[in-house]
Each structure stands twice: as C-alpha cells, then as structure tokens.
Amino acid sequence: MAALADAGIDPAEVDGMSTYTMDNNPEIELFRNIGGRELKFFSRIHYGGGAACAPIMHAAMAVATGVAEVVVCYRAMNERSQYRFGAAFTPDVLPTAEIAHYGNYVPFGLASPASWVAMSARRYMHEHGATSEDFGRVAVGFRDFAATNPKAWFYQQPISMEDHQASRWIVEPLHLLDCCQESDGAVAVVVTTAERARKLRHAPAIIRAAAQGSCDDQQMMTSYYRPDVTQLSEMKLVARQLYASAGIGPDNVQAAILYDHFSPFVLPQLEAFGFAKKGQARDFVREGQIARGGRLPVNTNGGQLGEAYIHGLNGVAEGVRLVRGQSANQPGACRNVIVTAGTGVPTSGLILSSD
Amino acid sequence: MIRRWCEAMGEENPLYVDAAAAAAQGFAAPVSPPAMLEVWTMARFRDTGRTAEDSMPVLNLFDEAGYTGVVATNIEQEYDRYLVEGDRISYTAVVDEVSPEKRTGLGIGHFVTIRYEFTDQNGDPVGRTLLRVLKFKPNLAQPAAASLSSAAEFSHPRPAITHDNAHYWEGISRRELLIQQCASCGQMRHPPGPGCPKCRSLEWHAVKASGRAKLHSFVVVHQPRIPSLQYPLPVLLVELEEGVRLIANGVGLPEKDIVVDMPLRLDWVEIEPGYVLPAFRAPDGEA
C-alpha cells in the first residue's frame, strides 16, 4: 500500500502481481486484502533469492506486452520469527529430484546456506589469494552504510575489521559477520509503463535492462561440478545480457546493489560485471572502491548484511532510491545502477536508470 | 481341494460337495465350481515361493526389465461345461495386448492382457479366461525416515532415493562408489542424472571409482548443527581421479591436516547399522 501511495496509484488499478518462491503470501491473498479488483497477470518465480530481480523483469514484460498495466512485485517474510532459512536443513525423504539433490550434501553435514557458500569461498581464496580480511572489508563497508541508514536493522552499529575477525565461526572460512541477518520485513515495488510513470508523483526509475540466468552445470547453491567453482557463471550470463540490453558497460554504472547473503560472493559478482578481472576483485575491495566514497559504492542501504534480509527485493528498492537521488547514503547522481539477485543459484539482475 | 476352496471362498452350494445334491441336478458326482477353472492348472504351493518355471515367460521378461510388481486388474471367464473328477485340464495362453507405459499409483508399468484357452483330456475346449495384469516398477523403497514419534532419536540424515540416483546409493551401500559414464561419448558425470549433458545420450553405465582423489575445497561447519552429527565438522569437496567431484566427510583426518589439493583415498564409514557413507582419508604412505 505504501508503494502504491508513493506512486500515487489506487490499489484498485493493480492488475498484476509477481513474487518469488519461499514467500508464504499467495498472490490472491495479498490482492484481495489490498482491495484488488481484476487480476490479469500473476507469476511466482522459482529459486528463492535468485529470483529477486526477476519479478521486475516479468512485470516489465507483462506491462510491455499490454497484458497488465500496474504490477506489484512484493516480498514479505517473517523469516526471523517464523521460518528460518539459515537453519540446518534436514529434508523429508521424499523421492523428488529437488529433495534428492540435498541427499548429496545433508548426510555429510553440508546442510546450511552458509556451508554451501563457504565451500566455493574456500576454493576462491585458494586460487585467487583472497583472504578472510577481504570478506571482512566487504562486511565492514556494508555495515558502515547501514550505520547511517535509519531504516537499517544495524543503524548506528558499524563494525571494525577486528570485530569481523573476532566474530565466531559459522562455517569456516565464514565468520558470523560474513553472514546476513534473518529479518522480518516486506518490500513492494510498483511496475507500470514509462508513460504512466512519468505522470505520477515522483520521478520514475526506468527499468533499462532486466535478465535471468542459469548455466554451466547449475546446481542449487552447490555448483561444485563446473570446471571453475570460483566463478558465478550464471551472474556472468546475467551481466552480459544486461549490458547488451542497456547498451552500456561498467564505466557507465555509478553504484551497485550486489546480493550479499554472504560476503564472499560479492567478489566474483564484481568480476562478473567487469569491475575487476577474474580473481582480482580483492584489489578493487582493498582500494576501498565499493565503500563510501569509492568508485562504485555497493549496497548503500547497508545490504542484507546491514539493512535487512528481505531476500534481495530491498536491494531493488534501494536501486530505485539511488536513481531518484533518495538514498540515505546517496553518493551523488546515479544515472545507472546495477541490482543483482541471489548468488550460487539461478539468478537475475537489473539495470535501473534515471529517466 | 474343492471342499477347501469352497470353505475359503464361503461357497455353500451343495452341488460342489454333496453327492445327493449333485445327483438331484443330474450329475453322477459333485462337480467343480466353474470359477476353479484356472486352479486345476496352477503350480503346486512351494513354501520358498514361485520358481521361474511356474511363471509366464512374458511376465518374466517384465521382471527382468525391472517391472517386478504385479497386480491383477481384470478377470473375465467363460465356461463351456462343469468339470468333474477325472478331468485333466491344460491351457494355452496368448498375450493379447501390452499397453503403452502408464503412470499408476503403484508405480510406472504396463497393462498386459493374456487370453487363456482351457481344454480337457480330449482336447475339447472347456472355458476361456481373459486376464489383465499391471506389471509395474514398485515405487522405490526409501530409507527408513525418522517418523514424528521417533524424531527425538535424531537419526542421521539420509538421502532420498529416486529412479535417477538409486544405482548410486545402492552402490554405496555395497561400499562401491559408482560414477555414471555416458555409453555413447564416454563423459563421466556426477551427481547422477538420466541424460548426458555433453552428447544427450540416455545410455550409460556405472564405473567403479578407483578411490584415488584429491581435495578441491573444504569447510569446517560450526553452526547450525544437526543433532546426530559431531562438530566442528569438516566437509570435503573431493575430486576423483575419474574427473568428477563429490561431497564427503573425512575419516582419520584431523582438521589441522586438511589442505586444499591434498591427495585423498576413498574409505567407508558405517554411520548406523546398514547405513554406509563414503569418506576420505590421507593416503597411507603412498606417493
């Protein structure tokens, strides 16, 4: 409702809804409760946080084809208080392919998202010389932004590298402060035609490019069988599509929201989008380029490590604020902002632009 | 035999057991219930179960192809005359129809329709049966899962068995690490799957891994914890010399000795009686 009020659109005009899996709020329940009238487009995209940017893409396609005019993309979860993603996962013994997948990991104790990411992170460190301090620089930078974002869970609670290094192990090589929080919260984003958006209350954020990607022997969090487990091949696929669709390159991007359920995967994302060569993102991070005042401020809202873990859709909202010049940590005018979705899974991404 | 059958079936018609009742109907002696037609041709009871010779060859073919389950779905019978003591009954059976593969509640299978012609000692027909059975692949037995009532026992997590991975876990239970190899292009693949990602062939065979491997990556899990496991828990991403990788634990491998790219050898640990998992150790003084 707040998103519609911000846009100045009556809820009765909503005719599309899009979300992604692992959300417990069915489209029609939400639609009924906002007083929706006629729902003409609804989609729910698979693979959890990897789909964080995909509802925007699906909504844009629905609007572009005339299937719907006003699509609400949403995410609402009581993950902290109700259903915890970070828990050790012990699947039912049901003979489906998705459950069978976990049989390759859980009986050996590789049972949590942190552990699945840590396995790739260890290899990345081994091959490319990144260190726990590099992951710490990512976390410290995001918590610095969170500390000055009044809406962040960790508002006014910055951390130091010493705090990071002293925090307890979750899954070596990941410390507690490499891992995002679990949050209760919700985000909604309204997608409509550019013509309509220009007539609304605020300056619009233009969806300049949107893409999904899955490739290179993709597994759910455990793509350990591809030749190079240090790279996020699916994010490279998304990056290639986004740059081609938008007709721009990394030099034209002023800020980025990179999915940070765990700090290590921020590095290969910087490489996937061409801000650093393969294996060299540690240098970009060590130079302070993703922190406040850097060449590419990343996760100016504090990210999921600092603001909240709303499964990536809060990153889309921050992307909108950046191109509108409304971020709590606005780094200056942002013509183009990259937003990415969950890493290690089939993923998605956006380039949002000022009009 | 007739008396036993009638008792079992609840058949109380005196015609089948009482000479006087049979005589009243014009028969010299009690007659066989018509529905026993097939019974006179059945193999004798064996307490060790059926032998192959007792079975229909066509059904054996299904057994060999993995469709080991059987359930009768239709029986239609016609009788030409009452059978009497002294008749010797034989039959010929013709497979009338085999259906396309069907997905049923019992499992994937084919309906097989068989027509039987029964004749007496003179070669004269005495009846016919149309029998339709479903020969199916029984839904795969799953490892005993912790039921709600036994959840407090915190049994070790078990894999889910599917048609695509059953060979892999069955191999592990025999302490054989089986890796799929495409029968067409020779590509090795893991985790198990039905198709070759390289050449798209659905034909494959399993290769027993040599057990020589090296460590591609590893983690040490501290949190969160599964109650049945011991922590801190190292977990290994192992690269077999056959070229595929898999996740396993170490055995006799202290955390301080674990380094990326170290050589490893396959071993086995019995987690619970009958539940074996692969594990890897350092080579014993090998080069």
Short mmCIF file of all heavy atoms in Angstrom, two decimals, chain B residues 25-58:
data_model
loop_
_atom_site.label_atom_id
_atom_site.label_comp_id
_atom_site.label_asym_id
_atom_site.label_seq_id
_atom_site.Cartn_x
_atom_site.Cartn_y
_atom_site.Cartn_z
N GLN B 25 -29.40 -82.88 -9.36
CA GLN B 25 -29.26 -82.00 -10.53
C GLN B 25 -28.86 -82.79 -11.77
O GLN B 25 -28.58 -82.18 -12.82
CB GLN B 25 -28.17 -80.95 -10.25
CG GLN B 25 -28.50 -80.01 -9.10
CD GLN B 25 -29.49 -78.92 -9.50
OE1 GLN B 25 -29.54 -78.52 -10.65
NE2 GLN B 25 -30.32 -78.49 -8.55
N GLY B 26 -28.76 -84.13 -11.62
CA GLY B 26 -28.46 -84.95 -12.79
C GLY B 26 -26.99 -85.21 -12.99
O GLY B 26 -26.57 -85.64 -14.07
N PHE B 27 -26.15 -84.93 -11.96
CA PHE B 27 -24.71 -85.22 -12.09
C PHE B 27 -24.37 -86.51 -11.37
O PHE B 27 -24.95 -86.81 -10.32
CB PHE B 27 -23.88 -84.08 -11.50
CG PHE B 27 -24.02 -82.79 -12.26
CD1 PHE B 27 -24.81 -81.76 -11.75
CD2 PHE B 27 -23.38 -82.61 -13.48
CE1 PHE B 27 -24.95 -80.58 -12.45
CE2 PHE B 27 -23.52 -81.42 -14.18
CZ PHE B 27 -24.31 -80.41 -13.68
N ALA B 28 -23.39 -87.24 -11.90
CA ALA B 28 -23.01 -88.52 -11.30
C ALA B 28 -22.29 -88.31 -9.96
O ALA B 28 -22.32 -89.18 -9.10
CB ALA B 28 -22.10 -89.30 -12.26
N ALA B 29 -21.63 -87.16 -9.81
CA ALA B 29 -20.86 -86.88 -8.60
C ALA B 29 -20.82 -85.37 -8.44
O ALA B 29 -21.14 -84.64 -9.39
CB ALA B 29 -19.45 -87.45 -8.73
N PRO B 30 -20.38 -84.86 -7.25
CA PRO B 30 -20.23 -83.41 -7.11
C PRO B 30 -19.30 -82.87 -8.21
O PRO B 30 -18.36 -83.55 -8.62
CB PRO B 30 -19.59 -83.25 -5.73
CG PRO B 30 -20.04 -84.47 -4.98
CD PRO B 30 -20.06 -85.58 -6.00
N VAL B 31 -19.60 -81.64 -8.65
CA VAL B 31 -18.82 -81.03 -9.75
C VAL B 31 -17.92 -79.92 -9.21
O VAL B 31 -18.06 -79.47 -8.09
CB VAL B 31 -19.75 -80.47 -10.84
CG1 VAL B 31 -20.55 -81.59 -11.48
CG2 VAL B 31 -20.66 -79.38 -10.27
N SER B 32 -17.01 -79.50 -10.05
CA SER B 32 -16.09 -78.42 -9.68
C SER B 32 -16.78 -77.07 -9.86
O SER B 32 -17.44 -76.84 -10.88
CB SER B 32 -14.85 -78.46 -10.57
OG SER B 32 -14.12 -77.26 -10.48
N PRO B 33 -16.61 -76.16 -8.90
CA PRO B 33 -17.13 -74.81 -9.13
C PRO B 33 -16.49 -74.24 -10.39
O PRO B 33 -15.27 -74.34 -10.56
CB PRO B 33 -16.67 -74.04 -7.88
CG PRO B 33 -16.40 -75.09 -6.85
CD PRO B 33 -15.92 -76.29 -7.60
N PRO B 34 -17.27 -73.64 -11.29
CA PRO B 34 -16.70 -73.15 -12.55
C PRO B 34 -15.53 -72.19 -12.33
O PRO B 34 -14.55 -72.20 -13.08
CB PRO B 34 -17.88 -72.45 -13.22
CG PRO B 34 -19.08 -73.15 -12.67
CD PRO B 34 -18.75 -73.51 -11.25
N ALA B 35 -15.62 -71.36 -11.27
CA ALA B 35 -14.57 -70.36 -11.07
C ALA B 35 -13.23 -70.98 -10.72
O ALA B 35 -12.20 -70.31 -10.69
CB ALA B 35 -14.99 -69.38 -9.98
N MET B 36 -13.23 -72.33 -10.43
CA MET B 36 -11.96 -73.00 -10.16
C MET B 36 -11.22 -73.41 -11.43
O MET B 36 -10.15 -74.02 -11.35
CB MET B 36 -12.18 -74.26 -9.30
CG MET B 36 -12.46 -73.96 -7.84
SD MET B 36 -12.57 -75.47 -6.85
CE MET B 36 -10.86 -75.97 -6.71
N LEU B 37 -11.78 -73.02 -12.57
CA LEU B 37 -11.21 -73.43 -13.86
C LEU B 37 -9.68 -73.35 -13.89
O LEU B 37 -8.98 -74.30 -14.22
CB LEU B 37 -11.80 -72.53 -14.96
CG LEU B 37 -11.28 -72.71 -16.38
CD1 LEU B 37 -11.55 -74.14 -16.87
CD2 LEU B 37 -11.96 -71.71 -17.32
N GLU B 38 -9.15 -72.21 -13.50
CA GLU B 38 -7.71 -71.98 -13.59
C GLU B 38 -6.96 -72.74 -12.50
O GLU B 38 -5.79 -73.09 -12.66
CB GLU B 38 -7.44 -70.47 -13.48
CG GLU B 38 -6.02 -70.07 -13.73
CD GLU B 38 -5.76 -68.61 -13.34
OE1 GLU B 38 -6.71 -67.93 -12.92
OE2 GLU B 38 -4.61 -68.18 -13.45
N VAL B 39 -7.66 -72.97 -11.37
CA VAL B 39 -6.99 -73.59 -10.22
C VAL B 39 -6.36 -74.92 -10.60
O VAL B 39 -5.26 -75.26 -10.15
CB VAL B 39 -8.00 -73.79 -9.07
CG1 VAL B 39 -7.38 -74.61 -7.93
CG2 VAL B 39 -8.51 -72.44 -8.58
N TRP B 40 -7.04 -75.68 -11.49
CA TRP B 40 -6.56 -77.03 -11.83
C TRP B 40 -5.27 -77.01 -12.64
O TRP B 40 -4.65 -78.05 -12.85
CB TRP B 40 -7.66 -77.80 -12.59
CG TRP B 40 -8.93 -77.80 -11.80
CD1 TRP B 40 -10.10 -77.21 -12.12
CD2 TRP B 40 -9.13 -78.43 -10.52
NE1 TRP B 40 -11.03 -77.38 -11.13
CE2 TRP B 40 -10.46 -78.14 -10.15
CE3 TRP B 40 -8.33 -79.19 -9.66
CZ2 TRP B 40 -11.01 -78.58 -8.94
CZ3 TRP B 40 -8.89 -79.64 -8.47
CH2 TRP B 40 -10.20 -79.33 -8.12
N THR B 41 -4.88 -75.82 -13.09
CA THR B 41 -3.64 -75.73 -13.88
C THR B 41 -2.52 -75.06 -13.10
O THR B 41 -1.42 -74.89 -13.62
CB THR B 41 -3.87 -74.91 -15.16
OG1 THR B 41 -4.13 -73.54 -14.80
CG2 THR B 41 -5.06 -75.44 -15.95
N MET B 42 -2.80 -74.67 -11.85
CA MET B 42 -1.79 -73.90 -11.13
C MET B 42 -0.66 -74.77 -10.62
O MET B 42 -0.86 -75.94 -10.31
CB MET B 42 -2.43 -73.18 -9.94
CG MET B 42 -3.25 -71.96 -10.34
SD MET B 42 -3.94 -71.17 -8.87
CE MET B 42 -4.62 -69.69 -9.60
N ALA B 43 0.52 -74.15 -10.49
CA ALA B 43 1.66 -74.85 -9.90
C ALA B 43 1.36 -75.14 -8.44
O ALA B 43 0.60 -74.42 -7.80
CB ALA B 43 2.91 -73.98 -10.00
N ARG B 44 1.97 -76.22 -7.95
CA ARG B 44 1.74 -76.56 -6.55
C ARG B 44 2.37 -75.49 -5.65
O ARG B 44 3.26 -74.76 -6.06
CB ARG B 44 2.35 -77.93 -6.25
CG ARG B 44 3.87 -77.96 -6.31
CD ARG B 44 4.41 -79.34 -5.98
NE ARG B 44 5.86 -79.37 -6.13
CZ ARG B 44 6.70 -78.98 -5.18
NH1 ARG B 44 6.26 -78.52 -4.04
NH2 ARG B 44 8.00 -79.05 -5.39
N PHE B 45 1.88 -75.43 -4.42
CA PHE B 45 2.42 -74.48 -3.46
C PHE B 45 3.86 -74.83 -3.11
O PHE B 45 4.19 -75.98 -2.89
CB PHE B 45 1.57 -74.48 -2.17
CG PHE B 45 2.17 -73.65 -1.07
CD1 PHE B 45 2.08 -72.27 -1.13
CD2 PHE B 45 2.85 -74.24 -0.01
CE1 PHE B 45 2.63 -71.48 -0.15
CE2 PHE B 45 3.42 -73.46 0.97
CZ PHE B 45 3.31 -72.09 0.91
N ARG B 46 4.72 -73.82 -3.09
CA ARG B 46 6.10 -74.03 -2.64
C ARG B 46 6.34 -73.01 -1.53
O ARG B 46 6.11 -71.82 -1.73
CB ARG B 46 7.11 -73.75 -3.75
CG ARG B 46 6.95 -74.63 -4.98
CD ARG B 46 7.98 -74.20 -6.04
NE ARG B 46 7.51 -74.50 -7.38
CZ ARG B 46 7.77 -75.62 -8.02
NH1 ARG B 46 8.49 -76.56 -7.46
NH2 ARG B 46 7.32 -75.82 -9.24
N ASP B 47 6.84 -73.49 -0.40
CA ASP B 47 7.00 -72.54 0.70
C ASP B 47 8.17 -71.59 0.46
O ASP B 47 8.37 -70.64 1.19
CB ASP B 47 7.11 -73.25 2.07
CG ASP B 47 8.27 -74.22 2.11
OD1 ASP B 47 9.09 -74.21 1.17
OD2 ASP B 47 8.34 -75.00 3.09
N THR B 48 8.94 -71.87 -0.59
CA THR B 48 10.03 -70.95 -0.94
C THR B 48 9.59 -69.95 -2.00
O THR B 48 10.40 -69.17 -2.49
CB THR B 48 11.23 -71.74 -1.47
OG1 THR B 48 10.76 -72.60 -2.52
CG2 THR B 48 11.87 -72.57 -0.38
N GLY B 49 8.31 -69.97 -2.35
CA GLY B 49 7.83 -69.04 -3.36
C GLY B 49 7.86 -69.66 -4.74
O GLY B 49 8.33 -70.79 -4.94
N ARG B 50 7.38 -68.86 -5.70
CA ARG B 50 7.30 -69.36 -7.06
C ARG B 50 8.68 -69.58 -7.66
O ARG B 50 9.62 -68.87 -7.34
CB ARG B 50 6.59 -68.32 -7.94
CG ARG B 50 5.11 -68.34 -7.82
CD ARG B 50 4.53 -67.26 -8.70
NE ARG B 50 3.10 -67.51 -8.89
CZ ARG B 50 2.51 -67.41 -10.06
NH1 ARG B 50 3.17 -67.06 -11.14
NH2 ARG B 50 1.23 -67.64 -10.15
N THR B 51 8.79 -70.54 -8.53
CA THR B 51 10.02 -70.67 -9.31
C THR B 51 9.76 -70.08 -10.69
O THR B 51 8.61 -69.83 -11.06
CB THR B 51 10.42 -72.14 -9.48
OG1 THR B 51 9.44 -72.76 -10.29
CG2 THR B 51 10.50 -72.84 -8.13
N ALA B 52 10.83 -69.89 -11.43
CA ALA B 52 10.69 -69.31 -12.76
C ALA B 52 9.81 -70.18 -13.65
O ALA B 52 9.02 -69.68 -14.45
CB ALA B 52 12.06 -69.12 -13.39
N GLU B 53 9.91 -71.50 -13.45
CA GLU B 53 9.12 -72.40 -14.32
C GLU B 53 7.63 -72.26 -14.06
O GLU B 53 6.81 -72.61 -14.90
CB GLU B 53 9.53 -73.87 -14.09
CG GLU B 53 10.99 -74.18 -14.31
CD GLU B 53 11.82 -73.87 -13.09
OE1 GLU B 53 11.69 -74.59 -12.09
OE2 GLU B 53 12.61 -72.91 -13.15
N ASP B 54 7.29 -71.77 -12.87
CA ASP B 54 5.88 -71.59 -12.55
C ASP B 54 5.27 -70.39 -13.26
O ASP B 54 4.06 -70.23 -13.31
CB ASP B 54 5.69 -71.37 -11.04
CG ASP B 54 6.16 -72.58 -10.23
OD1 ASP B 54 6.25 -73.66 -10.82
OD2 ASP B 54 6.41 -72.41 -9.04
N SER B 55 6.13 -69.50 -13.77
CA SER B 55 5.65 -68.20 -14.22
C SER B 55 5.48 -68.17 -15.72
O SER B 55 6.03 -68.99 -16.46
CB SER B 55 6.64 -67.11 -13.80
OG SER B 55 6.83 -67.13 -12.42
N MET B 56 4.76 -67.16 -16.17
CA MET B 56 4.59 -66.94 -17.60
C MET B 56 5.87 -66.31 -18.15
O MET B 56 6.37 -65.33 -17.59
CB MET B 56 3.45 -65.94 -17.81
CG MET B 56 2.14 -66.40 -17.27
SD MET B 56 1.31 -67.47 -18.44
CE MET B 56 0.95 -66.31 -19.74
N PRO B 57 6.38 -66.84 -19.25
CA PRO B 57 7.61 -66.27 -19.81
C PRO B 57 7.49 -64.76 -20.06
O PRO B 57 8.43 -64.00 -19.79
CB PRO B 57 7.81 -67.03 -21.11
CG PRO B 57 7.09 -68.33 -20.90
CD PRO B 57 5.94 -68.02 -19.99
N VAL B 58 6.33 -64.33 -20.53
CA VAL B 58 6.20 -62.90 -20.86
C VAL B 58 6.33 -62.06 -19.59
O VAL B 58 6.92 -60.97 -19.60
CB VAL B 58 4.87 -62.62 -21.59
CG1 VAL B 58 3.66 -62.94 -20.71
CG2 VAL B 58 4.81 -61.16 -22.03
#
